[in-house]
Amino acid sequence: MLAKRIIPCLDIRNGSTVKGINFGNLHNVGDPVALGAKYAAEGADELVYLDISASSEGRQTFTELVSRIAARIDIPFTVGGGIASVDDAGRLLEAGADKITVNSAAVANPSLIDAIAAKYGAQFIVAAIDARMIDGRWVVTTHGGSRPTDRELFSWATEVANRGAGEILFTSMDHDGTKNGYPCDVFARLAGLPVPIIASGGAGTIRHIADVLTIGHADAALAASIFHYGEIPIPTLKQELNKQGINIRL
């Protein structure tokens, strides 16, 4: 059985790490290279960097940042934000990223997943899905959760897996930044897909992470606030998960 992974997430805006609630009220929490190096030293299994700056200038700044991260950090890291073509993906992979993630652009053009997977391999592409509950239905959203689409979470997750995504990163927009726990029932259902599932949105306690890795059957737990604010040190988290019998790399 593969070890479960702990993945800090760093949202990047104009070269700085930021954090908010439900993708709003953002404020700076630190330098992304220094934070990433700190998390790697503490035992993080992987990192995710998401560029939330929308401009082309921001994306160029992000590419340069990826090169600096790759030079400093010795664990796998995934990058995303504004990737809308095979060339965009290639630029970031060439800068040193281990994997890229696509979200809004893939919803608009699902064949983007096929194209990136065909050129670089499924192991290099993570499909990020943001969704929220609307009228009793998990509705896929884009542009940082601000635009509902006509896609339903589980059918879209099935489609991205079939198109060649090597992993799925699902964020519940209703839980993001709230520290009230992950929707474990949703992750347990997603776990039936033939690709690893990364859980995102809602981590506030060690119990929340333990629950999503066990009850939710997620392959990895992604979190931001609890790490950025030093609320749960990664070594403490991993030791507690290990004590609970969860297969984790110490």
Side-chain angles (χ1 to χ4, degrees), residues 61-213:
T61 299
F62 187 62
T63 303
E64 294 165 357
L65 174 62
V66 168
S67 297
R68 290 196 286 122
I69 294 166
R72 179 86 180 271
I73 292 170
D74 59 359
I75 61 173
F77 69 98
T78 300
V79 299
I83 296 175
S85 68
V86 173
D87 287 344
D88 288 339
R91 175 168 43 83
L92 293 167
L93 290 169
E94 288 166 11
D98 295 279
K99 293 180 274 190
I100 58 92
T101 179
V102 292
N103 190 337
S104 299
V107 174
N109 176 24
S111 63
L112 175 64
I113 296 172
D114 305 71
I116 294 174
K119 181 159 186 178
Y120 294 107
Q123 71 272 23
F124 291 109
I125 182 167
V126 179
I129 303 176
D130 299 334
R132 64 174 75 247
M133 182 69 76
I134 300 176
D135 296 330
R137 179 174 177 263
W138 280 99
V139 175
V140 174
T141 61
T142 62
H143 298 82
S146 64
R147 300 186 190 179
T149 71
D150 60 358
R151 294 187 178 274
E152 185 270 337
L153 168 62
F154 299 104
S155 61
W156 176 234
T158 300
E159 181 175 342
V160 299
N162 289 339
R163 284 182 176 275
E167 290 183 282
I168 292 173
L169 165 58
F170 168 57
T171 302
S172 165
M173 299 307 301
D174 296 327
H175 296 75
D176 177 69
T178 65
K179 302 182 186 178
N180 291 327
Y182 302 86
C184 291
D185 58 331
V186 178
F187 285 103
R189 186 172 170 187
L190 289 171
L193 293 171
V195 297
I197 304 296
I198 303 169
S200 169
T205 67
I206 293 174
R207 169 51 55 191
H208 292 155
I209 292 175
D211 283 349
V212 82
L213 295 177

